[in-house]
Amino acid sequence: MADHKTSHAAPPRLTPGLVPNLRFDVPSGFLVFLIAMPLCLGIASASQYPPIAGIWTAVIGGVLTAFLSNSQVTIKGPAAGLIVIVSGAVLDLGLGAAPAGTDPADLATLARYGYPLALGIGVAAGVVQILFGVMRAAKVGEVIPLTPVHGMLAAIGITIMAKQFFVMFGLTAPAGAPIDSIHAVPTVFRTLDPTVSWIGGASLAIMIAFPLLKTRVALLRPVPAQVVVVAVAIPMGLALGLDGVLNDKGAAKFLVSVPNVVASPAAAFAFPDFTALATPTGIKYVVLFALVGSIESMLSSQAIDMIDPWQRKTDQNRDLLAVGVANALCSAVGALPMISEIVRSKANIDNGARTRYANLFHGLFLLAFILLLPFVVTLIPLAALGAMLVFTGFRLASPREFVSTYKVGAEQLVVFVTTIVVVLCTDLLIGVAAGVALKVVIHVLNGAPLSSFLRADVEVATTDDGSVVVLKVRKAALFANWLGLKASILKHAAGRTEVVLDLSETKLVDHSTMEKLHQLERDLAATGKRLKVIGLDTHTALSHHPLAARRSGRVDSPVAV
């Protein structure tokens, strides 16, 4: 395989521990706190949880997982990628628990009944994640093909954009499947609140323009765009009189509402109701919370490990255990579920963090803020939070994602778009299942034998001195048999400096395997070993991308499905 590594300057020497790294981790934790605070509030509101629930998630994620996980620079907290699942749980469970005749469009009533039931689901899902960690099940996540997962995340981004677009203009998104909100988007311009719209529009403009400005003005580079949005939106809201617009409960209709934790601690927490666990809807959401949350968290931490200047590796099973414990605790006190959040983690690295204590400090800064300055939070317009999430959703479903997927192969784009469409019209589980099923069909059409989906067919040979082992793979190397192939490579790499993987007799090597082989090459190289992949010169790539799927023999088109 081609070497796609990028050369980087060697990082400075790292002295482990809390005290030697305080001067790096405290400033980074503070800057990440500035990014996290408004996002935590916005994600909680979009998830039909009280806004303060997002703060508690980040506090628990920062303080607890810093000691339970060995992940060094990831930031734990609520994530936009879970909004669709969490809000779906609240509204679906609330519809079943609310009094007969409750209007399905009455989101406030559904949330009141569904919120404690969703907390019960969250506790159970946290226990499942703990079991995943104890049973060392993190490797199972590697079996899931990459393209349907990316399609799921893009569909989540589109859903967030559609629903938060309403909030940005002072409206409430319609209930129902994501496609219903997409259909209703044109009505926003007929029913929007003009006053709130100024704040939402200005906030979105800042989210788009400020990162571009930072590239030109060095002094602005440490300043998060989210902080600028809040700094502009609060005085705009006060000037436009949003604090005087009240709802039927006497609270500000268009501003964030959080209790004073010091004066009324009981109002800042909620406790789970487990009665929905025995229902089909409850079981469905336990599966979604545990599986999707675990997959997203593992993908994020793996991506962050790749850009860690010191190339430290997260123990995914230990990290799953840590996230599971934290999630069970979060739901026990009324907070959102958490994952390793990639955007905040990337900012953590960019701000100079060196150890996991930056995550701890980000959580402590959030705790201090909500204890000492809750009145500042209550001045933030909901439209500003909605604009931040519209921007976040766009990043999840960026046109760049479609282009990069197409470059890997036209068949990948078909799977990607199919997953998106099915998720938007049904739900996440059905959408991902549809994407995986389509991928299997495409692999069969490309010559993969059905038996290759069950196990990797690997023949082992060694050189006379035993220093090099050659693994000849037959039939196909696919996402479904990757664990067996990887286990064989690692088994024979022990005690040797080189493993040769011969793929000349495979009928198909899929994109997921190509990408995972490339990563395994890097991992083994970091330990002084070499994985040499041969035999692909007899195959035709399904696109010009270096990690595209390979099919044996010649085909009429380099992007044939």
Side-chain angles (χ1 to χ4, degrees):
M1 291 175 66
D3 186 0
H4 307 293
K5 290 187 226 178
T6 304
S7 61
H8 296 281
R13 182 180 177 183
L14 177 67
T15 303
L18 171 63
V19 175
N21 296 291
L22 279 176
R23 64 192 179 99
F24 303 104
D25 291 340
V26 172
S28 182
F30 179 75
L31 290 170
V32 173
F33 141 71
L34 294 177
I35 298 171
M37 187 270 293
L39 287 176
C40 290
L41 297 169
I43 291 168
S45 297
S47 301
Q48 306 299 326
Y49 274 45
I52 198 170
I55 300 292
W56 294 141
T57 300
V59 170
I60 293 171
V63 174
L64 185 59
T65 64
F67 297 100
L68 296 180
S69 172
N70 77 320
S71 187
Q72 292 296 322
V73 285
T74 58
I75 297 295
K76 302 293 196 285
L82 294 181
I83 288 174
V84 174
I85 299 171
V86 178
S87 63
V90 172
L91 298 179
D92 287 353
L93 295 171
L95 186 60
T102 298
D103 184 354
D106 184 358
L107 301 186
T109 298
L110 297 184
R112 186 166 68 252
Y113 285 93
Y115 170 46
L117 294 170
L119 294 178
I121 299 300
V123 173
V127 173
V128 172
Q129 289 180 309
I130 293 172
L131 293 176
F132 284 166
V134 171
M135 296 169 64
R136 306 191 66 77
K139 63 182 181 181
V140 177
E142 295 187 57
V143 175
I144 300 173
L146 301 173
T147 304
V149 172
H150 293 159
M152 175 195 73
L153 294 174
I156 289 172
I158 293 169
T159 303
I160 292 169
M161 280 193 290
K163 290 187 175 292
Q164 292 304 302
F165 194 70
F166 287 84
V167 177
M168 201 175 85
F169 290 100
L171 304 171
T172 300
I179 198 70
D180 298 323
S181 295
I182 295 171
H183 284 156
V185 164
T187 66
V188 169
F189 301 103
R190 297 196 300 268
T191 56
L192 57 79
D193 183 294
T195 303
V196 175
S197 300
W198 280 108
I199 297 173
S203 299
L204 183 60
I206 292 170
M207 291 298 299
I208 296 170
F210 191 72
L212 302 176
L213 182 62
K214 288 202 294 184
T215 62
R216 297 172 179 269
V217 182
L219 289 175
L220 296 178
R221 284 174 192 163
V223 182
Q226 293 85 352
V227 173
V228 180
V229 168
V230 171
V232 171
I234 288 178
M236 279 187 74
L238 293 174
L240 294 171
L242 291 192
D243 55 332
V245 182
L246 307 181
N247 59 22
D248 54 5
K249 295 181 180 179
K253 181 179 180 180
F254 296 117
L255 302 179
V256 173
S257 175
V258 296
N260 186 314
V261 181
V262 176
S264 306
F269 300 97
F271 303 101
D273 180 341
F274 297 99
T275 56
L277 288 176
T279 67
T281 302
I283 294 171
K284 166 188 167 182
Y285 279 107
V286 169
V287 172
L288 281 171
F289 274 45
L291 285 185
V292 176
S294 298
I295 291 169
E296 282 196 47
S297 195
M298 286 190 292
L299 288 174
S300 296
S301 62
Q302 288 167 3
I304 293 302
D305 283 352
M306 292 175 66
I307 59 173
D308 178 1
W310 290 274
Q311 293 294 296
R312 294 163 291 186
K313 295 298 178 185
T314 298
D315 180 335
Q316 296 295 336
N317 291 297
R318 179 176 169 182
D319 198 54
L320 267 181
L321 174 65
V323 169
V325 171
N327 275 335
L329 178 58
C330 281
S331 291
V333 298
L336 283 162
M338 76 179 65
I339 65 169
S340 299
E341 208 288 322
I342 192 165
V343 175
R344 274 160 262 164
S345 300
K346 173 67 164 56
N348 193 37
I349 292 174
D350 291 344
N351 291 327
R354 293 199 170 186
T355 75
R356 55 189 170 173
Y357 296 110
N359 187 29
L360 169 67
F361 291 123
H362 124 273
L364 292 176
F365 280 124
L366 280 165
L367 178 62
F369 187 84
I370 201 64
L371 291 177
L372 303 175
L373 300 170
F375 63 89
V376 176
V377 176
T378 61
L379 297 175
I380 300 174
L382 293 170
L385 302 182
M388 292 182 203
L389 291 178
V390 167
F391 184 77
T392 300
F394 178 80
R395 293 180 66 172
L396 285 172
S398 166
R400 214 175 308 168
E401 293 293 325
F402 290 79
V403 172
S404 60
T405 301
Y406 175 73
K407 286 181 177 178
V408 175
E411 84 287 354
Q412 301 299 321
L413 183 64
V414 171
V415 173
F416 183 74
V417 172
T418 298
T419 304
I420 292 172
V421 171
V422 178
V423 167
L424 294 177
C425 294
T426 57
D427 64 27
L428 289 173
L429 278 180
I430 296 174
V432 173
V436 173
L438 179 58
K439 198 168 183 70
V440 170
V441 171
I442 291 174
H443 285 352
V444 172
L445 293 175
N446 272 324
L450 291 175
S451 60
S452 64
F453 289 91
L454 301 177
R455 59 182 293 272
D457 187 347
V458 182
E459 178 186 298
V460 182
T462 58
T463 56
D464 292 340
D465 61 2
S467 61
V468 178
V469 64
V470 179
L471 306 178
K472 183 182 286 289
V473 183
R474 294 190 172 88
K475 297 182 180 178
L478 309 171
F479 70 89
N481 63 31
W482 165 249
L483 287 181
L485 178 59
K486 179 183 178 182
S488 183
I489 293 170
L490 294 179
K491 173 184 174 182
H492 292 95
R496 294 185 176 90
T497 58
E498 181 174 283
V499 173
V500 177
L501 186 68
D502 184 357
L503 298 173
S504 60
E505 294 191 20
T506 56
K507 294 183 179 295
L508 181 71
V509 181
D510 73 358
H511 160 62
S512 293
T513 301
M514 291 293 295
E515 187 157 326
K516 292 177 190 299
L517 282 173
H518 175 56
Q519 179 57 41
L520 189 57
E521 278 183 325
R522 291 179 47 155
D523 292 345
L524 288 175
T527 64
K529 300 178 185 294
R530 183 186 181 200
L531 172 62
K532 182 179 180 181
V533 179
I534 64 172
L536 289 176
D537 53 327
T538 61
H539 290 58
T540 298
L542 299 191
S543 81
H544 300 297
H545 193 280
L547 300 181
R550 262 68 169 178
R551 177 179 167 182
S552 64
R554 308 303 301 173
V555 294
D556 296 332
S557 167
V559 292
V561 173

